[in-house]
Amino acid sequence: MNTDTPQPVRLEDYRPTPYLIDAVDLDFRLDPSATQVRARLSLRPNPASAEKDAALVLDGERITLRSVSLDGALLASDHYGVDEQSLTVGKVPQAPFTLEIVTTCDPSANTELSGLYISGGVFCTQCEAEGFRRITYFYDRPDVMARYTVRIEAEREQFPILLSNGNPRERDVIGGTTRHFAVWDDPFPKPSYLFALVAGDLGAVHDMFTTASGREVSLGIYVQKGNEDRCAWAMEAVKASMRWDEQRFGREYDLDVFNIVAVPDFNMGAMENKGLNVFNDKYILANPETATDLDYVNIESIIAHEYFHNWTGNRITCRDWFQLCLKEGLTVFRDQEFTSDIRSRAVKRIADVKTLRARQFPEDNGPLAHPARPASYIEINNFYTPTVYEKGAEICRMMLTLIGETAFRKAMDLYFARHDGEAATVEQFVQCMAEASGRDLTQFFTWYSQAGTPVVTAETAYDPARRQYTLTLEQKVKATPGQAEKLPLHIPLAIGLVGPDGEDMPLDLDGVGVLNAALIELNEQRQTFRFNNVPQRPVLSLNRGFSAPVKLEASLTFADELFLMGHDGDSFNRWEAGQRLGRSLILAAYAGTESAADAEAYAQALARILNAPSVDDAFKALMLALPTESEIAAALAADVDTDKVHAARDAVRARLARHLSGPLAEIWQRTAETGPYRPDPASTARRALRQAALALMVMGDAPRGTAWALSELASPHSMSAEIGALAALVQADGPERERELDRFHQRHAHEHLLVDKWLMLNAQCAGPGAARRIERLTRHPDFKWTTPNKVYALFAGFTGGNPAGFNAADGSGYRVVADAIIRLDAMNPQVASRIATGFRSCKLLNSIRKSAAERELNRVLAEPSLSRDVYEIVSKIVNG
Ligand code: BES
Ligand code: ZN
């Protein structure tokens, strides 16, 4: 790496800028290799700044300065200075002034996909977090909010569509030339990261939305030509999102137009630029032949997420990037609620907790652990993490649980009223929650500043003579990097005491009385709750609905867990009991101590659920999925042998499948598709159950399961069925695996999103030779190092979806991924560093794997001119 070690940015060093920028006029002359940008900035001294007469230092990167004028007069070169990262004007008026800056840049050479770049022949931008500085010199930070006017000029034929933020003002041809222009005007002040521009020859789909107060909004979705017939689902999701934010939060849309553009090359999923959201096209395009049920669900929720940012993120933005969870955590919470309201709340909650456990818990439990609001970073792009997003959403949800629906809505209204048009902090948000509810949230705030997943241990005792039930809870958080000492958190725990009849008993809490909200609050390290008038020994159902993102150790007996799995009134905890049972069976198989009787009892309890007509198919499908290999590794905590984990989990699944072969066959018959494909919740649930049954059958009775999968693949009803069958088939290393993967590729090679799915399925193929397969696929003509979706499908598919292959004891998995990181870092550091996070759990592994991983990571660190992005992630993993 560089001889100068990258230095961190710190929250405590926040200072307002010495100048404010009130308005920006941008004029683009688009040209693929030499685009010219003329920026007119209206500046004035910032009254909130303590610095007087300060120099004006603007951010800028990878752009060429052509000229600078101050109040209309060209500045001589000794009046300003430029370096790799900034433009400095030493002496500026201490009164309002204008600065006009002319720069050029080369979009065709932009492989980082940050700033202005070209995707599929279309100019597009990505400015969050710090990409605007690659377009012009600016205060590229979120607390500088300005009104933007944008003029775009380009070749008419090649770039007929010209889009930017806000409302369209003007468009015309430029007489006597082959060029034309458009002017856009955004009336809402915004930070630079929300700027966007798109120019190209795109197809479009249009619709209208009338807001609650009667504003007519014209909606547009722009895609590569030929894909117009794959936008209907996305358009419905836009309208549903707009309606929902009005109804649930009283938030209306505020411009005349709302546009979405889908591009094939995009580092992230999607981006909430004001009035012009830009999407990775995999989260827009859908039809039954190319999209799975999961794609449909993702499209719906990501469109909602980006749309909801219009209020939580855009109208109210972040003071600095340390406050990222203010917009991201809150907006994830909002999109989760949207999905819960329009689909099944119970199923959504389980899905979200699965994501949290698969992504955030491992992060919190390793060298990359950081608080939801970090105190320092080296590269901000590394902090768009599961902790900021998913734990951030959990923190919002806990506040809702603590203060209740009504006060929560009041608090949100207060937040919008008080901070509209501002760049806010997490403290200001929590202050609104405290004020609207009258509750003291001082201790609660620790959730934002402290890293690590709390472990809550429960001890219980029942005294039949006194009819008293005692619950003693203890909370602990392990040390995390930079945080050795931990404070006790304020933890809301939804609770039920389940009687032998399966009914909840009244909760008569000693010293409080009968609780009307079945919620207890743990504030101390160790705390005892005593319940009176408990007629019989109950079974404890704690953290219902996953009311707090903690690891619960309640040490219930196998029999109590089976009872909860069958009878808990809280469906989340029924699922949770099943997960704990599944985990204990896998851990026993790993240790070679499995009990046939336990496995049979578990299978019987599952069979009862599968046979119950009143239980939702989606819930049945969730019950059939055992904890993942990485959850098992985390439960083992140290010295993990990933091959043994894989084998143990497969063995338990196979045994389960044999016990359940009757119910699985019934499911297979009952769920056969009849009508046309529909992505509604009931059909989606039915297919999820069908696929879960198929996947298990392939494990338990390979010939029968394989026959089912092959019949499905011979005439697939939809892409969902096709991918489901293929995914089930490739779990095992049989001759069908290669043949069917090849056939899938032949059938769908022309469709880029399906090639990605094919790469991902390949990456997940377990068994020896996994790394060689990855290496071979990087040389496949359909693989492209410069397309993030291809890289994620193959490499994130491998590190995240194939733990046994990635962690192969010979180090071959680590080697192929380290090679990729080095190669990617030279073209797109953001993508390289995301792949590098795949190593985050290697400290849990046994020594042969740990040292193989370290060897490869050190090889990465030894690279000259490593990016800050990769340096930060890899050095933290190596030293953590
Ligand atoms: N603001 C982000 C996109 C973003 C992330 C830009 C990182 C720059 C750097 C956007 O709102 C977002 O959160 N997108 C998510 C999807 C969402 C549904 C969680 C993404 O892209 O993964
Ligand atoms: Zn977001």
Side-chain angles (χ1 to χ4, degrees):
M1 58 129 254
N2 280 327
T3 37
D4 37 334
T5 313
Q7 291 305 302
V9 184
R10 287 177 214 287
L11 169 59
E12 63 193 22
D13 294 339
Y14 173 81
R15 299 285 178 281
T17 54
Y19 302 92
L20 293 175
I21 306 175
D22 294 317
V24 188
D25 256 323
L26 292 170
D27 190 349
F28 287 85
R29 306 263 150 99
L30 292 178
D31 178 281
S33 58
T35 285
Q36 190 199 74
V37 184
R38 180 181 301 269
R40 291 179 105 247
L41 315 181
S42 306
L43 296 118
R44 68 184 153 103
N46 184 355
S49 169
E51 289 178 77
K52 293 291 158 237
D53 264 325
L56 175 69
V57 185
L58 300 178
D59 306 302
E61 199 178 280
R62 307 272 175 102
I63 48 181
T64 309
L65 182 65
R66 301 294 172 184
S67 69
V68 194
S69 318
L70 204 159
D71 284 333
L74 206 60
L75 288 187
S77 59
D78 56 346
H79 277 73
Y80 61 87
V82 214
D83 63 22
E84 298 275 80
Q85 328 172 51
S86 59
L87 164 67
T88 302
V89 184
K91 193 97 193 83
V92 295
Q94 295 306 298
F97 63 99
T98 63
L99 199 69
E100 188 172 302
I101 305 168
V102 180
T103 52
T104 53
C105 60
D106 180 357
S108 69
N110 185 345
T111 56
E112 294 96 331
L113 313 187
S114 157
L116 179 63
Y117 65 96
I118 299 179
S119 176
V122 173
F123 283 101
C124 66
T125 55
Q126 172 54 40
C127 292
E128 190 177 1
E130 298 180 334
F132 191 70
R133 64 188 62 187
R134 299 163 59 101
I135 295 174
T136 187
Y137 288 99
F138 206 76
Y139 277 132
D140 195 13
R141 44 188 276 175
D143 59 344
V144 174
M145 298 173 80
R147 271 175 293 103
Y148 285 64
T149 310
V150 180
R151 182 180 178 280
I152 310 167
E153 185 190 308
E155 287 296 319
R156 217 149 62 207
E157 288 253 309
Q158 245 184 308
F159 309 105
I161 305 285
L162 304 173
L163 304 171
S164 189
N165 315 91
N167 296 317
R169 273 279 153 280
E170 206 188 327
R171 61 175 291 150
D172 212 338
V173 297
I174 301 175
T177 73
T178 54
R179 295 174 78 80
H180 70 153
F181 75 94
V183 179
W184 291 79
D185 171 16
D186 184 356
F188 294 96
K190 65 168 177 287
S192 54
Y193 81 85
L194 290 174
F195 168 79
L197 171 158
V198 171
D201 189 7
L202 292 159
V205 172
H206 295 282
D207 206 333
M208 287 294 288
F209 181 83
T210 309
T211 69
S213 70
R215 175 195 279 276
E216 298 274 304
V217 183
S218 123
L219 310 175
I221 299 182
Y222 293 83
V223 294
Q224 289 181 306
K225 283 197 162 151
N227 282 335
E228 295 88 340
D229 60 350
R230 295 161 78 184
C231 298
W233 180 253
M235 188 61 91
E236 288 311 305
V238 171
K239 291 184 283 181
S241 305
M242 289 184 153
R243 185 67 64 218
W244 183 88
D245 214 13
E246 291 180 347
Q247 290 171 347
R248 179 80 189 265
F249 284 99
R251 297 295 119 196
E252 261 188 48
Y253 190 62
D254 51 9
L255 292 167
D256 304 336
V257 300
F258 179 70
N259 286 322
I260 289 179
V261 179
V263 295
D265 305 276
F266 203 70
N267 285 342
M268 302 292 295
M271 177 65 209
E272 70 265 25
N273 317 299
K274 183 81 186 187
L276 180 56
N277 291 0
V278 176
F279 273 63
N280 188 320
D281 63 0
K282 75 186 259 207
Y283 293 126
I284 292 294
L285 304 177
N287 64 23
E289 291 75 47
T290 59
T292 63
D293 289 320
L294 181 63
D295 292 326
Y296 276 88
V297 169
N298 284 340
I299 289 167
E300 183 179 85
S301 73
I302 297 181
I303 285 179
H305 177 98
E306 305 311 336
Y307 174 73
F308 298 154
H309 270 313
N310 192 54
W311 276 95
T312 50
N314 301 4
R315 291 286 289 255
I316 306 180
T317 191
C318 301
R319 187 192 72 173
D320 52 69
W321 291 121
F322 295 101
Q323 320 297 325
L324 185 58
C325 72
L326 176 68
K327 75 174 177 84
E328 294 302 348
L330 177 56
T331 305
V332 170
F333 166 76
R334 274 153 52 71
D335 83 54
Q336 291 175 346
E337 283 299 294
F338 166 76
T339 303
S340 303
D341 285 347
I342 68 167
R343 291 178 175 259
S344 154
R345 181 165 288 272
V347 167
K348 175 62 176 163
R349 188 65 189 136
I350 294 172
D352 288 340
V353 173
K354 284 176 73 160
T355 311
L356 190 77
R357 286 193 176 135
R359 291 158 36 95
Q360 200 274 327
F361 278 23
E363 181 169 81
D364 233 356
N365 189 32
L368 299 183
H370 57 274
R373 188 179 65 182
S376 80
Y377 59 76
I378 289 178
E379 169 53 59
I380 184 56
N381 285 314
N382 286 332
F383 281 80
Y384 289 76
T385 61
T387 297
V388 167
Y389 276 66
E390 271 98 45
K391 188 173 183 172
E394 291 300 320
I395 298 174
C396 294
R397 183 174 301 284
M398 282 191 284
M399 286 195 278
L400 166 62
T401 304
L402 282 169
I403 73 179
E405 219 31 273
T406 313
F408 188 82
R409 173 62 200 271
K410 231 174 92 189
M412 289 298 296
D413 288 348
L414 178 60
Y415 175 63
F416 293 126
R418 185 177 285 174
H419 297 293
D420 188 11
E422 290 181 6
T425 62
V426 173
E427 278 85 354
Q428 290 172 323
F429 175 65
V430 176
Q431 177 60 27
C432 292
M433 294 285 155
E435 267 179 56
S437 65
R439 294 221 37 185
D440 181 351
L441 296 174
T442 316
Q443 184 191 8
F444 183 83
F445 199 84
T446 308
W447 279 105
Y448 282 107
S449 54
Q450 185 168 282
T453 308
V455 176
V456 173
T457 320
E459 288 159 37
T460 63
Y462 179 61
D463 181 341
R466 289 209 170 82
R467 293 162 51 100
Q468 228 175 31
Y469 183 76
T470 312
L471 170 65
T472 303
L473 297 177
E474 188 165 345
Q475 55 166 312
K476 267 208 184 88
V477 186
K478 264 195 341 194
T480 54
Q483 278 188 342
E485 302 301 323
K486 298 290 181 178
L487 298 167
L489 293 156
H490 181 178
I491 306 178
L493 292 166
I495 182 174
L497 299 182
V498 188
D501 56 356
E503 296 295 317
D504 277 9
M505 298 172 171
L507 297 169
D508 183 355
L509 185 58
D510 204 39
V512 175
V514 177
L515 302 179
N516 42 20
L519 188 76
I520 56 175
E521 297 181 24
L522 175 62
N523 299 90
E524 279 147 47
Q525 185 88 40
R526 190 180 167 88
Q527 209 170 328
T528 296
F529 300 85
R530 204 161 275 122
F531 295 93
N532 295 318
N533 299 311
V534 180
Q536 275 151 310
R537 187 191 83 96
V539 178
L540 174 66
S541 173
L542 195 61
N543 205 20
R544 281 184 159 176
F546 207 67
S547 57
V550 302
K551 289 182 190 154
L552 181 62
E553 286 176 6
S555 53
L556 270 64
T557 62
F558 203 85
D560 281 347
E561 298 281 21
L562 281 172
F563 177 77
L564 287 184
M565 180 173 156
H567 299 101
D568 198 320
D570 180 66
S571 63
F572 178 85
N573 267 3
R574 288 183 73 190
W575 172 78
E576 184 79 317
Q579 291 292 294
R580 281 197 297 261
L581 287 168
R583 186 176 70 188
S584 73
L585 292 174
I586 298 169
L587 290 173
Y590 183 89
T593 59
E594 65 264 73
S595 135
D598 283 354
E600 190 170 343
Y602 176 60
Q604 277 168 3
L606 270 178
R608 274 193 293 277
I609 291 171
L610 295 180
N611 290 331
S614 61
V615 177
D616 170 10
D617 282 346
F619 185 77
K620 290 177 181 173
L622 289 165
M623 290 301 297
L624 281 180
L626 289 172
T628 61
E629 289 169 42
S630 77
E631 278 175 64
I632 301 302
L636 289 164
D639 254 346
V640 176
D641 178 336
T642 43
D643 287 328
K644 269 179 71 185
V645 171
H646 183 75
R649 185 170 180 276
D650 272 4
V652 171
R653 292 176 70 217
R655 189 195 283 261
L656 194 60
R658 284 192 292 273
H659 277 298
L660 292 176
S661 74
L664 295 180
E666 254 167 64
I667 289 170
W668 189 251
Q669 300 233 307
R670 170 171 75 77
T671 57
E673 296 278 355
T674 47
Y677 175 89
R678 299 222 334 267
D680 63 287
S683 314
T684 300
R686 190 181 61 241
R687 284 186 291 267
L689 179 58
R690 181 173 181 77
Q691 282 160 25
L694 172 60
L696 261 188
M697 189 54 93
V698 169
M699 298 306 299
D701 179 347
R704 191 175 190 192
T706 304
W708 286 0
L710 292 177
S711 78
E712 196 92 327
L713 285 167
S715 57
H717 172 263
S718 62
M719 184 44 64
S720 228
E722 192 170 345
I723 287 285
L726 195 53
L729 202 60
V730 302
Q731 298 174 103
D733 190 357
E736 295 84 7
R737 175 151 100 181
E738 299 316 313
R739 199 185 65 219
E740 291 303 319
L741 280 171
D742 282 352
R743 284 194 47 210
F744 185 90
H745 181 261
Q746 279 158 24
R747 273 205 298 271
H748 303 300
H750 58 279
E751 174 44 58
H752 68 288
L753 297 178
L754 293 179
V755 172
D756 296 349
K757 293 190 196 305
W758 172 78
L759 287 170
M760 169 93 82
L761 284 167
N762 269 283
Q764 290 167 347
C765 285
R772 243 174 305 129
R773 183 193 292 267
I774 301 293
E775 211 275 321
R776 180 159 41 80
L777 285 166
T778 62
R779 284 182 273 109
H780 193 284
D782 287 348
F783 180 80
K784 266 243 237 6
W785 288 100
T786 48
T787 307
N789 284 358
K790 300 267 176 275
V791 173
Y792 294 144
L794 195 58
F795 287 97
F798 185 52
T799 60
N802 193 349
F806 173 52
N807 298 297
D810 63 1
S812 55
Y814 302 140
R815 196 172 323 118
V816 72
V817 176
D819 285 342
I821 293 168
I822 292 168
R823 179 162 190 163
L824 288 162
D825 198 39
M827 39 199 169
N828 190 332
Q830 279 187 52
V831 170
S833 116
R834 279 184 181 267
I835 299 304
T837 62
F839 280 92
R840 69 186 169 203
S841 295
C842 63
K843 293 276 149 61
L844 298 175
L845 305 178
N846 57 6
S847 59
I848 176 170
R849 292 180 164 87
K850 243 188 318 214
S851 47
E854 250 161 56
R855 204 165 41 243
E856 294 302 325
L857 291 173
N858 280 317
R859 183 159 67 82
V860 173
L861 277 183
E863 277 294 306
S865 64
L866 202 62
S867 69
R868 271 185 305 173
D869 310 57
V870 168
Y871 169 77
E872 178 172 37
I873 296 296
V874 175
S875 63
K876 281 179 177 169
I877 296 175
V878 169
N879 305 321

